[in-house]
Amino acid sequence: MQLLGSTTSPFVRRLRLYLVDIEHEFINLDIFSEQGREILTANNPAQKVPALIDGELCVYDSRVIYRYFAEKFSETKLTWEQENLLTLIDAANDSFVTLLLSMRSGIDVEQDVLFYNLQRERVEKVLSVLAQECEQGAFDTWSYPSICLFCLLDWIEFRELYDWKRFPPLYNFYCKSQQRKGIKETDPRIS
């Protein structure tokens, strides 16, 4: 199995953490270089990381790749509550990626325009709900949703995008997760 991605992607990191004890090859791509884009496009026409190659099969998108792994490794299916948590985590991740790419494109994301107002509103609401879910124990076990939440929070911190630490349950979860296997090895700061 080969996992194509970049060390700085939170969507890729979640799969790297899931695979920490499973044999695979991680291929780190510079997705903004010509060569990296060619490899990525050849394996995922959506031109997004991650992509998984397992024999003749290529699977796109972190959620779909996780579903593939869950079947392949006979994992228990996620509950609908867990699926909803992943939807929230992915929504926040998508909004933060949009904000980061906009900033890197020279766009003022703090301007009072509908698109950016909606992104900021979404991340505030989602992080608030995720904090409540943390407080109620939804992320007490280290499972795929917990891995995804950790990757989101650490990526926000890495990119310095938002003060999420003002949500104590998220901060407590983040601190407790720091000692998990694979966290240091997949840290985007050391790529």
Side-chain angles (χ1 to χ4, degrees), residues 42-57:
N43 291 285
N44 184 352
Q47 298 181 319
K48 293 172 69 175
V49 291
L52 175 76
I53 302 168
D54 192 8
E56 297 297 313
L57 180 64

Side-chain angles (χ1 to χ4, degrees), residues 56-68:
E56 297 297 313
L57 180 64
C58 191
V59 184
Y60 323 135
D61 188 76
S62 60
R63 290 269 294 264
V64 179
I65 294 170
Y66 173 75
R67 282 189 24 228
Y68 174 75

Side-chain angles (χ1 to χ4, degrees), residues 172-184:
N172 292 337
F173 164 80
Y174 178 79
C175 290
K176 288 178 187 173
S177 300
Q178 289 292 332
Q179 302 308 311
R180 298 286 184 177
K181 188 173 184 181
I183 296 293
K184 290 181 180 144

Side-chain angles (χ1 to χ4, degrees), residues 18-40:
Y18 174 81
L19 291 169
V20 73
D21 290 322
I22 298 170
E23 189 174 327
H24 70 284
E25 178 185 6
F26 174 61
I27 300 173
N28 185 23
L29 300 175
D30 175 355
I31 61 171
F32 298 109
S33 74
E34 186 176 329
Q35 181 184 15
R37 301 261 340 131
E38 284 177 14
I39 294 168
L40 180 59

